[in-house]
Amino acid sequence: MSAAGSSAAQAMTPATPRTGWHDLPPAVRAAIEAHTGTVHHAETITTGLNATFTARLLTDTGPVFAKGVPSARAAAQRREALINPHAHPIAPRLHWHIDTAGWHVLGFEHLDGHPADLSPHSPDLPAVARMLAQLTDLTPPPTGCRRIEDPWADAGEQAGTDATLLAGNHLSHTDLNPHNILITNHGARLVDWSWPTLNAPWIDTACTALWLIAEGHTPTDAENWAAAIPTWTTATPPTLDAFAAINAALWTQIAATDPRPWKLRLRTAATSWAQHRTGRSAKVGTETT
């Protein structure tokens, strides 16, 4: 694992304070136990960014991973519940979900594993590559997914490129931060499908490559790693240039709004990749004239 001072993933902290099991309204706990039987122990999980309640529940029916937010801001969780049958088995199976007493809670298959280490020479990298190669086996739902060119249109305009270069009909996760990639005895699994999109088949590999750069890889090394994943062959230099430029603009916007250390590191990583792509394209253009 890379040192804490140089790891973007280790600097990630929750956006909201955690609510414990016993702090949930009694009606919410009762609704959960209607699915699980008695909850004998609840261990709050501190990783992850957006859920207010995240816990490992030991219940009559076995261990469950549960996460929840107030119902008024549960749009992302509702998308995740909708997408889950289409994202399994790369995503853990959703067993149940409830929306009661002002809370929306999801209950998932519990996975034993650890967040992926994406630093150079990490032993987790082969499992991550195998998981990315399997993503094209997923079938997207008929509704519930935005097309990537829509949420990234503004960043594309700012970067002077066209986000439609990234368009496609493949189901993608797009938030490949190491906490969302769990390394288990059965391989890498991808959790927290809150932002599913339809796009080109190589986008999730590119999103992972960006995190590799943030965790200490050079842009060249990250691209060479990605090149071993079959979908990468469908990317062209102009589409990779567009992805890098859009993400540099996107993370510059994000870090300006919320300059937490890990977001600043992603901005630096995205900017360095975009500069690498610009220099590479300029070199290729010179060689072909």
Side-chain angles (χ1 to χ4, degrees):
M1 175 70 73
S2 54
S6 62
S7 171
Q10 290 183 6
M12 296 177 78
T13 54
T16 56
R18 287 288 190 256
T19 296
W21 166 252
H22 292 290
D23 298 319
L24 292 173
V28 175
R29 299 200 305 271
I32 291 172
E33 291 186 321
H35 290 282
T36 67
T38 301
V39 173
H40 300 284
H41 179 71
E43 176 186 354
T44 297
I45 297 172
T46 57
T47 56
L49 294 177
N50 298 312
T52 306
F53 164 71
T54 55
R56 182 180 297 108
L57 305 179
L58 300 182
T59 78
D60 282 345
T61 55
V64 175
F65 171 73
K67 68 175 185 176
V69 294
S71 298
R73 60 179 185 87
Q77 280 202 172
R78 292 189 176 96
R79 281 194 299 271
E80 185 171 7
L82 176 68
I83 205 72
N84 183 262
H86 301 268
H88 185 77
I90 293 175
R93 188 182 298 279
L94 178 66
H95 290 315
W96 46 263
H97 58 97
I98 64 168
D99 194 349
T100 190
W103 279 83
H104 186 273
V105 184
L106 306 178
F108 289 94
E109 164 194 5
H110 179 264
L111 299 179
D112 286 318
H114 65 268
D117 175 0
L118 299 183
S119 63
H121 312 299
S122 165
D124 294 342
L125 292 175
V128 174
R130 288 191 294 271
M131 180 268 293
L132 290 169
Q134 295 169 350
L135 282 173
T136 54
D137 295 336
L138 302 180
T139 302
T143 60
C145 294
R146 295 186 296 178
R147 294 191 171 274
I148 201 167
E149 60 267 30
D150 295 332
W152 285 13
D154 289 344
E157 184 175 347
Q158 183 176 344
T161 190
D162 186 355
T164 61
L165 289 169
L166 313 180
N169 294 310
H170 288 263
L171 175 62
S172 293
H173 184 284
T174 69
D175 185 8
L176 277 293
N177 80 71
H179 294 291
N180 285 342
I181 307 172
L182 292 185
I183 306 299
T184 76
N185 290 335
H186 304 290
R189 305 283 290 277
L190 196 51
V191 305
D192 196 2
W193 286 73
S194 299
W195 305 103
T197 64
L198 299 179
N199 44 237
W202 52 270
I203 293 294
D204 272 343
T205 298
C207 291
T208 307
L210 175 58
W211 269 97
L212 262 64
I213 297 168
E215 293 297 279
H217 297 252
T218 67
T220 297
D221 288 343
E223 289 186 3
N224 287 341
W225 178 85
I229 298 165
T231 55
W232 193 253
T233 62
T234 65
T236 64
T239 59
L240 290 175
D241 293 347
F243 179 92
I246 288 171
N247 272 271
L250 187 64
W251 282 103
T252 296
Q253 293 172 357
I254 292 170
T257 303
D258 183 7
R260 282 186 279 175
W262 72 270
K263 295 184 178 183
L264 293 171
R265 187 167 292 277
L266 263 293
R267 181 194 65 185
T268 298
T271 300
S272 69
W273 195 5
Q275 291 171 344
H276 167 77
R277 295 297 314 174
T278 299
R280 185 172 183 171
S281 296
K283 181 179 178 181
V284 171
T286 301
E287 291 173 347
T288 57
T289 56

